[in-house]
Amino acid sequence: MKKYLSIIFATLVTVSALSTNGGSSPIASPNVSAAYEKLIAYKTEDYGQQSVADFHTALASTSDELTEFLAAIADVISTISPDDENYDFFTTTMSFSSHELYCEHMGEEFTFFISLVKESRPCNYVDEDGETVYDFNCFVEADVAYAIDNPKLVTVADRDQALLTYKEEMQNYLNGLSEAEIAGGNIKKMLIDKSAELANSLSTENMSLSPCEIYLIEIIGEAEEAIQ
């Protein structure tokens, strides 16, 4: 069972990363799938005000239900279009919950993946997909460990907001750095220090976040200020 769950979850992580980080363009199906129809039922009027504990119990209270749920959410996320009105519900709320349910079942800590991009000095041409090309690019990938210590006292909306704010503020911080600061300074330490500040401000007695663990920093292009 655990091996099968691991395979499903690996598929979910892969398609979720591609869907949310521009790795591919999801193809919208003219007809929603059976998995979509089943899962959208959990988007009730007050789902955000439910506790994480109650929401997860409704999603999957047994191992068999967890297996079915993970397979269903992987199917939906791999096909949903960004312009779908329920895109955020599936790629945020349901993605977070599927990860937490899987980790609870496997006895693993919760982690939140963040991908950050800083681009500057646009070129006067585009790539083969018609996207703007930049002379300077900085790509960062990291994991953030977190714990929901009292799932009965943390709402789904609070959980989602804390994680999304963490990612948004990290992106804002990177955006605010100059090319010289990124290429010429200790960018890894700067980002970790900022993440520690955010973890401290966003943590509560019921949900705690940790500084990020960065495993990729790629800088393409030279910082003009640094080489003057």
Side-chain angles (χ1 to χ4, degrees), residues 170-185:
M170 287 296 292
Q171 181 64 64
N172 289 340
Y173 177 72
L174 182 61
N175 287 343
L177 296 176
S178 68
E179 293 180 19
E181 289 174 311
I182 294 172

Side-chain angles (χ1 to χ4, degrees), residues 29 31-41 71-73 75-76 79 90:
S29 172
N31 300 306
V32 297
S33 66
Y36 185 109
E37 290 184 336
K38 177 181 179 180
L39 296 180
I40 199 59
I73 189 63
D75 174 75
V76 172
T79 57
F90 284 115

Side-chain angles (χ1 to χ4, degrees), residues 139-154:
F139 303 100
V140 179
E141 292 185 355
D143 282 329
V144 179
Y146 67 98
I148 300 179
D149 304 298
N150 294 298
K152 278 283 188 182
L153 299 178
V154 177

Side-chain angles (χ1 to χ4, degrees), residues 150-170:
N150 294 298
K152 278 283 188 182
L153 299 178
V154 177
T155 67
V156 172
D158 287 341
R159 187 271 318 268
D160 290 358
Q161 187 61 45
L163 298 182
L164 292 177
T165 298
Y166 193 115
K167 180 177 181 178
E168 180 181 1
E169 290 303 314
M170 287 296 292

Side-chain angles (χ1 to χ4, degrees), residues 111-213:
T111 55
F112 170 46
F113 171 76
I114 59 175
S115 176
L116 311 174
V117 180
K118 161 80 172 187
E119 299 171 319
S120 58
R121 284 188 277 134
C123 302
N124 59 0
Y125 56 88
V126 297
D127 63 18
E128 59 184 13
D129 296 320
E131 300 292 332
T132 301
V133 176
Y134 295 85
D135 270 341
F136 183 85
N137 302 268
C138 176
F139 303 100
V140 179
E141 292 185 355
D143 282 329
V144 179
Y146 67 98
I148 300 179
D149 304 298
N150 294 298
K152 278 283 188 182
L153 299 178
V154 177
T155 67
V156 172
D158 287 341
R159 187 271 318 268
D160 290 358
Q161 187 61 45
L163 298 182
L164 292 177
T165 298
Y166 193 115
K167 180 177 181 178
E168 180 181 1
E169 290 303 314
M170 287 296 292
Q171 181 64 64
N172 289 340
Y173 177 72
L174 182 61
N175 287 343
L177 296 176
S178 68
E179 293 180 19
E181 289 174 311
I182 294 172
N186 189 339
I187 184 61
K188 183 174 183 178
K189 181 179 185 303
M190 294 165 68
L191 290 170
I192 291 176
D193 287 348
K194 179 61 178 179
S195 72
E197 176 188 316
L198 284 169
N200 182 62
S201 66
L202 292 171
S203 292
T204 66
E205 61 180 352
N206 298 316
M207 178 177 175
S208 58
L209 293 93
S210 301
C212 67
E213 181 177 343

